[in-house]
Amino acid sequence: MPNILLTGSSRGIGAAIAETLGARDDVRLIGHGTRSGIAADFSDPDAPQTLWAQALDALDGRIDVLINNAGIFEAAPIDQPHTDWVAGWERTMRINLTAAAELCRLAIRHWQEAVHGGRIVNIASRAAYRGDSPAHWHYAASKAGMVAMTKTIARGYARDGILAFAICPGFTMTGMADDYLESRGGDALLADIPLGRVAAPAEIADTAHYLALEAPASMTGAVIDINGASYVR
């Protein structure tokens, strides 16, 4: 029975992933917003290590899959006072990228010491490749970093049975996406998506489920785009 640690599962994409994986009787799932909830505030530098230790304790000392979904999407206009802009940059990097990197490191060390493999699924964004608005440099940079980190892990640890995947959603119908769509004109933004609609959280969740439990090992390093063909590469 695989033991899974999922971050950022209290709403949106994370809640959809929790619902999809939590419906299985052959999976033990833990994370904030799941039935076995452990809250973590990743703006606190100590939070990733604390979460990992608590999750290990709750899962009898073994984690098989890490899904990094926690993230924020906060505007940092370029005309902000400089210190405010830098603070926004550092907060986004800490929550979106550094916390995920710490958990990936802890997971890899755990699997190396236990001499068995594991899987990492990182929820990145279309912004990693396409960029984002002028008020969201930091968000795009954090997600590009997540993709690069995923590829590096895949290349570095495949021989240890450690697999890494990333998902790059475009706009997804979550509260965070709703606010952004409204701020950017809604219908005009949808016109840039050939499919004619934004993704549903369940579509991201189904992909995360597949990568976490079913994808063949040879897929390690794959980055899956889910954006309605609004960005193809």
Side-chain angles (χ1 to χ4, degrees), residues 5 30 38 40 42 46-63 102-103 106-107 110:
L5 171 59
I30 199 163
I38 302 177
F42 286 153
D46 294 328
Q49 280 187 289
T50 300
L51 173 64
W52 182 261
Q54 291 176 333
L56 270 181
D57 184 61
L59 294 170
D60 302 322
R62 194 190 86 246
I63 293 172
E102 290 187 49
L103 288 170
L106 291 165
H110 171 61

Side-chain angles (χ1 to χ4, degrees), residues 159-180:
R159 290 185 180 180
D160 298 329
I162 296 170
L163 313 179
F165 312 93
I167 300 173
C168 284
F171 292 113
T172 307
M173 194 51 69
T174 67
M176 187 165 61
D178 287 343
D179 294 343
Y180 188 65

